């Protein structure tokens, strides 16, 4: 079970986290009000399609993306979170900023997705007192530097050591294991070879006894392998999601919820009959 605020998520089958980006480039209309309405409608559509968790983000984490101020991020995400209060599935806030975490938790989100793995003490405190779940993700560098020739002696060992240390830090701050999810951070300061090594060895992260989240949907590693543009990576994303689940992921973070839910229905049918 993953304890997400008032929700206790059953992990006996893989869960789908649907991505809702509230960034100017994610909804073409531009204006604040329309952007909010489009983001809320998108979240509701993903819930109808079978998403188990909705992850809302107001700052792009893509390599090279510009950082936004706390106020700008709050202006983007808070109206959307407010509109989704009472959602039948947990709402996750995708942010590294403690101020955004605190505001989102006060508004009722049940999970924090922090690509900085709560390395900021204020972020750690916000999650600790908030009784919400947290995703601790590995990344090397920041959005400006992370793809500048990342180097590891052994990527699987180094990612694993980092996550072990972050779990220990979270537990020391009062965040119980039932609230923790770990994520190797595909594409965050990793080459294609690093990403493939991590996916091959994903099962090794299961030693921590906390659920593994994998985010590979539409990522450039899939573009590198298929030669497809970002809008044309559905088949590759589904294959990667299934492989992640087969190698131990309990949660997949995806754009294409409907198709991923269908693909996992086949996986579930085979695995329930063992
Ligand atoms: C915000 N974000 C983008 N990619 C991600 C991934 O792979 N994992 C998590 N947890 N968050 C991500």
């Amino acid at each position: 079970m993953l304890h997400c605020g008032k929700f206790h998520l059953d992990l006996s089958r893989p869960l789908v986290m649907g991505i809702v980006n509230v960034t100017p480039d994610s909804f073409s209309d531009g204006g604040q009000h329309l952007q909010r309405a489009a983001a809320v409608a998108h979240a509701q559509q993903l819930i109808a399609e079978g998403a188990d968790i909705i992850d809302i983000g107001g700052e792009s984490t893509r390599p090279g993306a510009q950082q936004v101020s706390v106020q700008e991020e709050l202006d983007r995400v808070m109206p959307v979170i407010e509109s989704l209060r009472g959602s039948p599935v947990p709402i996750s806030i995708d942010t590294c900023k403690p101020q955004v975490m605190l505001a989102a938790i006060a508004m009722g989100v049940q999970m924090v997705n922090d690509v900085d793995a709560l390395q900021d003490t204020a972020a750690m405190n916000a999650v600790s007192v908030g009784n919400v779940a947290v995703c601790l993700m590995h990344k090397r560098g920041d959005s400006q530097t992370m793809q500048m020739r990342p180097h590891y002696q052994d990527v699987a060992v180094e990612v694993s050591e980092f996550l072990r240390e972050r779990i220990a830090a979270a537990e020391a701050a009062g965040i119980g294991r039932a609230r923790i999810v770990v994520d190797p951070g595909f594409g965050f300061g990793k080459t294609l070879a690093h990403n493939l090594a991590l996916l091959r060895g994903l099962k090794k992260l299961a030693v921590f006894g906390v659920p593994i989240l994998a985010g590979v949907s539409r990522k450039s590693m899939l573009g590198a392998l298929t030669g497809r543009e970002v809008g044309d990576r559905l088949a590759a994303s589904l294959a990667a999601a299934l492989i992640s689940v087969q190698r131990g992921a309990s949660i997949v973070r995806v754009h294409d919820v409907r198709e991923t839910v269908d693909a996992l229905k086949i996986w579930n049918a085979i695995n329930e009959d063992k």
Side-chain angles (χ1 to χ4, degrees):
M1 286 281 176
L2 176 65
H3 291 189
C4 270
K6 66 182 178 182
F7 295 94
H8 286 187
L9 299 182
D10 175 7
L11 298 167
S12 62
R13 64 171 183 88
L15 303 182
V16 174
M17 173 186 262
I19 301 169
V20 176
N21 289 319
V22 199
T23 48
D25 51 347
S26 55
F27 293 102
S28 54
D29 47 66
Q32 285 276 348
H33 179 71
L34 287 175
Q35 189 173 307
R36 168 189 180 158
V40 172
H42 186 54
Q44 285 165 339
Q45 183 192 333
L46 298 188
I47 294 169
E49 289 177 357
D52 299 289
I53 307 170
I54 294 294
D55 192 36
I56 297 174
E59 179 178 53
S60 174
T61 50
R62 270 201 306 268
Q66 289 301 314
Q67 291 184 345
V68 299
S69 68
V70 170
Q71 193 55 54
E72 176 66 26
E73 198 175 323
L74 287 169
D75 290 345
R76 290 179 185 180
V77 298
M78 291 309 292
V80 179
I81 293 170
E82 186 177 15
S83 296
L84 291 171
R85 277 177 112 167
S87 153
V89 304
I91 303 297
S92 161
I93 177 69
D94 158 19
T95 188
C96 304
K97 298 190 179 78
Q99 300 94 324
V100 177
M101 292 177 191
L102 284 169
I105 292 169
M107 188 62 83
V109 304
Q110 292 88 11
M111 183 166 182
V112 169
N113 175 24
D114 182 5
V115 301
D116 278 348
L118 302 184
Q119 291 181 87
D120 183 320
T121 308
M124 183 70 85
N125 291 339
V127 171
S128 174
V129 298
N131 190 34
V132 293
V134 64
C135 179
L136 302 171
M137 197 197 81
H138 175 273
K139 109 177 162 186
R140 176 76 55 91
D142 59 31
S143 58
Q144 301 304 315
T145 62
M146 64 184 166
Q147 288 312 110
M148 289 179 185
R149 297 204 288 153
H151 175 76
Y152 301 83
Q153 293 293 332
D154 183 327
V155 67
V157 169
E158 288 170 57
V159 168
S160 184
E161 279 310 308
F162 172 84
L163 293 175
R164 181 192 306 280
E165 185 269 319
R166 295 318 301 153
I167 293 170
E171 283 192 294
I175 304 171
R177 276 187 181 236
R179 289 163 61 194
I180 300 175
V181 172
V182 291
D183 181 342
F186 291 105
F188 285 83
K190 284 127 191 151
T191 63
L192 175 59
H194 295 143
N195 289 318
L196 292 176
L198 284 170
L199 191 47
R200 270 187 212 108
L202 198 61
K203 273 213 163 78
K204 291 183 195 150
L205 297 183
V207 292
F208 301 130
V210 300
I212 302 167
L213 185 151
V216 278
S217 178
R218 298 185 187 172
K219 284 198 174 164
S220 61
M221 61 185 278
L222 306 182
L225 292 170
T226 60
R228 305 256 181 228
E229 292 303 318
V230 65
D232 199 13
R233 295 180 189 158
L234 175 59
S237 298
L238 293 174
L242 280 182
I243 293 166
S244 305
V245 164
Q246 194 164 32
R247 294 184 179 230
S250 294
I251 306 174
V252 285
R253 183 178 181 276
V254 305
H255 300 87
D256 302 292
V257 167
R258 188 173 71 98
E259 294 84 351
T260 308
V261 166
D262 274 4
L264 288 174
K265 280 182 182 162
I266 310 306
W267 194 90
N268 287 334
I270 300 299
N271 284 282
E272 275 158 13
D273 202 27
K274 266 199 243 178

